[in-house]
Amino acid sequence: MALKQVIEEEHRCSRGTYGRRRIKRSLAKKGIKISANRIAKLMALSSIRGKSPRKFRVTTIPNPKLENSPNLVKAINATTRLDEVWISDIT
């Protein structure tokens, strides 16, 4: 199988996410020695590119008009023994 076809198959197996670096690492594990620049050239000839990570998007916008929740743990500061107060968080 030609190198171009091997690179296209690796890219297809990764669902189009692998770029030249990860394809090079994957091929090296299989015993195929090829430079990253050669892989990049063959990928360009095949018009394939790796996917870049997405930009972080803030999905929760706090409402500045709302007050913060009260600190209930500070109000229970007078414990006299162990296991008297239990706290959990579901965030």
Side-chain angles (χ1 to χ4, degrees):
M1 194 186 295
L3 279 176
K4 187 175 174 183
Q5 292 171 338
V6 172
I7 292 170
E8 288 172 356
E9 180 63 27
E10 284 295 319
H11 189 261
R12 198 174 12 260
C13 287
S14 72
R15 296 181 306 197
T17 59
Y18 279 14
R20 68 176 170 91
R21 289 186 181 125
R22 287 200 280 182
I23 288 177
K24 177 178 172 32
R25 193 177 312 135
S26 177
L27 293 178
K29 286 181 182 178
K30 294 180 180 181
I32 301 172
K33 292 184 178 182
I34 183 171
S35 72
N37 287 336
R38 181 83 180 258
I39 293 171
K41 287 176 187 176
L42 292 173
M43 286 177 70
L45 286 174
S46 300
S47 300
I48 56 176
R49 295 175 54 188
K51 290 184 182 174
S52 299
R54 293 182 187 164
K55 182 181 174 187
F56 177 76
R57 255 183 94 171
V58 177
T59 58
T60 306
I61 302 170
N63 186 349
K65 296 177 185 175
L66 294 178
E67 293 181 21
N68 289 339
S69 300
N71 187 349
L72 300 175
V73 178
K74 198 179 273 187
I76 311 172
N77 201 13
T79 57
T80 57
R81 57 186 165 85
L82 292 177
D83 288 335
E84 192 172 352
V85 178
W86 288 65
I87 299 171
S88 67
D89 185 10
I90 60 168
T91 55

